[in-house]
Amino acid sequence: MKMLEKLKKLEEEASTEISGALDGKTLQEITVKFLGRKGKLTEILRELKNLPAEEKRVAGKTANELKLFLQEKISEKTESLLNARFEKLAEDEWIDPTQPGIEAQRGTLHPLTKFIREAEKVFAGMGFTIASGPQIEDDFHNFTALNIPADHPARDAQDTLFLSNEAGKLLRTQTSSVQIRWMEERKPPFRIVAPGRVFRKDDFDASHSPMFHQLEGLVVDRKISLANMKAVMEAAVKRLIAPEAKFRFRTSYFPFVEPGLEMDMSCTICGGGGCSVCKQTGWIEIVGCGLVHPNVLRNVKIDPTEWSGFAFGFGIDRMVMLRHGIKDMRLLFENDLRFLRQF
Ligand code: DAH
């Protein structure tokens, strides 16, 4: 019978093409070619209506079976192509999740950060709280409340970076401003240290930077004396820089302390004999300090007849330079990894 032969031929042709298809796109084209609205099988089905009844019945059944058969074959082939693709992927992109990872390169803490953290630990061990304040300050906290008079040279535009877009605001020139911020909000007694950045209109050279770091200290309690101050500061510097160092205190002037002192440490480089670091004196200036001026206490409404205290301010950058024998301050701020990786 002609129609059945046609179907047989079609089955062979379609089967061969399906088996030979290499990808999903080809399979789709095959589907359209044989089973689509204008496909070969559909065409044959259209011819059925011209056949005599019996033939039509047999051929129709066969054609429908063929349609199901081809659909099935195509979906099997689709699945097997997919599987093959996954297998290839699994092979090409095979990884071993049990392999140990590649260790990430570790950074190190900046020597300034390290020093600050150590200092915080040392002072915390002596009962100090860590405090901080804003880097953008106002005149009151940076100067006035600290008993720095209006004609004091520190207020000169030569030294202070004033903000041009905000009247009365400046970049703090000293961490001493944190003393005021702390005392305004609390009642004594207290012991705090406040490390942080300060800014001055300085050059950027081997021993200056317009941004540097200080560590402020403040103790207010009853009957605080210079003896307390000396004990605390010597203990701290010994632990932080040089256990064998000797110390001396010289009178100095800072508006917010009275008396004001400067603490010197025997030169750790030459041991006190004299060298270029200590400028042949055998001593290195490390920290300004003194007993809190009664005016400062009054400015924050603390009664100076009841309370007294001491304060100090370390220059952190200089300490770190001393500690590591760093000759040029700029190295601390240039972010040169060859330098930083040494710590
Ligand atoms: N603020 C001072 C400065 O920037 C350092 C200082 C000196 C802080 C004496 C103090 C102090 O608390 O008592 O030079």
Side-chain angles (χ1 to χ4, degrees), residues 323-340:
R323 181 193 229 189
H324 297 294
I326 298 165
K327 296 248 157 62
D328 192 325
M329 188 182 262
R330 286 169 292 195
L331 285 167
L332 290 174
F333 305 121
E334 284 170 345
N335 276 344
D336 185 335
L337 289 179
R338 290 168 304 176
F339 170 76
L340 293 174

Side-chain angles (χ1 to χ4, degrees), residues 173-176 179 200 212 214 216-217 254 256-257 261 287-290 310-314:
T173 59
Q174 51 186 0
T175 46
S176 305
Q179 292 187 29
R200 289 182 198 174
F212 55 103
Q214 290 186 334
E216 192 77 15
F254 302 97
F256 35 90
V257 282
L261 300 158
V287 47
C289 52
F310 66 85
F312 53 89
F314 286 97

